[in-house]
């Protein structure tokens, strides 16, 4: 655990303010759900809650099936990081924070279909994903909340993604959203 040197007092309602610098660094916004843990040494641990974590194993299997049937790379994310990858370099992408552009697209519930030379093209992660030439992205909606995304990525510059790929990611996102509700 990393010490920040910041000390806060508990107010009369039992609240503690998380400093702005920490909220910005960890992308904590008003309304962000947090899990609260305690350990034997009396430490309190706050962790961003992601409902998608419950689906990680299932999402990985789903991504594998999509990658096998399309021959494309598949990424499934929650709001903060990539939780499942298939058809590409898993260890380079899994667990990486999503890019600001993807975070905004999910938050705005936007679907994106773009080639690298389009103005609306973006990388899935904060690190540029080398070799990706086209993306099709759809947000995962669960009980009215945007909780993540499903994306198909092409690494072949000659491949243009279109309506079939967009329908596939939209269907996958809808299916995963319903799985979360059930």
């Amino acid at each position: 655990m990393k010490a920040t040197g910041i000390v806060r007092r508990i107010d009369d309602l039992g609240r503690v303010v998380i400093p702005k610098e920490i909220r910005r660094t960890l992308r904590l916004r008003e309304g962000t759900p947090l899990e609260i843990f305690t350990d034997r040494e009396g430490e309190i641990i706050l962790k961003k809650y992601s409902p998608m974590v419950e689906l990680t194993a299932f999402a990985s299997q789903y991504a594998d099936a999509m990658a096998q049937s399309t021959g494309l790379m598949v990424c499934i994310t929650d709001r903060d990081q990539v939780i499942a990858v298939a058809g590409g370099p898993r260890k380079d992408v899994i667990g990486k924070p999503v890019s600001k552009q993807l975070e905004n697209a999910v938050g705005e519930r936007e679907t994106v279909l773009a080639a690298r030379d389009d103005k609306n093209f973006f990388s899935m992660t904060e690190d540029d994903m080398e070799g990706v030439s086209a993306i099709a992205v759809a947000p995962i909606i669960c009980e009215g909340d945007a909780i993540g995304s499903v994306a198909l990525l092409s690494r072949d510059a000659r491949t243009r993604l279109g309506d079939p790929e967009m329908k596939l990611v939209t269907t996958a996102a809808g299916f995963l959203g319903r799985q979360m509700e059930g």
Side-chain angles (χ1 to χ4, degrees):
M1 209 173 310
K2 191 166 41 171
T4 63
I6 301 170
V7 175
R8 294 286 194 244
R9 296 196 183 281
I10 298 174
D11 72 9
D12 58 339
L13 295 176
R15 298 176 297 198
V16 176
V17 174
I18 299 171
K20 187 175 189 174
E21 303 79 35
I22 293 173
R23 293 193 317 263
R24 185 180 309 123
T25 302
L26 298 178
R27 295 180 175 179
L28 298 174
R29 292 179 279 301
E30 183 178 329
T32 299
L34 298 173
E35 284 185 282
I36 302 170
F37 300 92
T38 59
D39 67 10
R40 292 186 179 139
E41 288 82 45
E43 293 177 325
I44 298 172
I45 301 156
L46 300 176
K47 182 178 176 189
K48 282 172 84 170
Y49 173 72
S50 171
M52 290 292 291
V53 170
E54 299 168 17
L55 269 188
T56 300
F58 182 75
S60 293
Q61 293 172 348
Y62 202 92
D64 285 338
M66 286 178 66
Q68 286 176 4
S69 66
T70 63
L72 298 169
M73 184 173 173
V74 179
C75 288
I76 300 176
T77 73
D78 63 13
R79 298 254 341 210
D80 299 308
Q81 65 182 346
V82 178
I83 64 165
V85 177
R90 178 177 160 73
K91 68 180 186 302
D92 295 342
V93 181
I94 198 80
K96 296 277 185 186
V98 300
S99 67
K100 287 283 188 197
Q101 296 94 331
L102 177 58
E103 186 179 350
N104 291 338
V106 169
E108 298 294 322
R109 295 171 165 73
E110 294 175 357
T111 57
V112 177
L113 182 62
R116 184 167 282 281
D117 53 352
D118 297 340
K119 68 176 178 7
N120 61 338
F121 180 86
F122 55 79
S123 178
M124 293 291 295
T125 63
E126 288 180 346
D127 303 330
D128 186 34
M129 294 174 66
E130 266 185 55
V132 174
S133 59
I135 59 171
V137 181
I140 299 170
I141 310 296
C142 176
E143 297 177 349
D145 293 328
I147 62 169
S149 69
V150 177
L152 284 174
L153 301 95
S154 174
R155 296 181 152 232
D156 182 351
R158 297 167 302 190
T159 301
R160 288 297 232 195
L161 302 182
D163 284 341
E165 290 82 9
M166 200 68 238
K167 287 178 182 175
L168 180 58
V169 294
T170 302
T171 301
F175 181 76
L176 290 171
R178 281 189 289 290
Q179 289 297 305
M180 289 300 301
E181 292 171 357

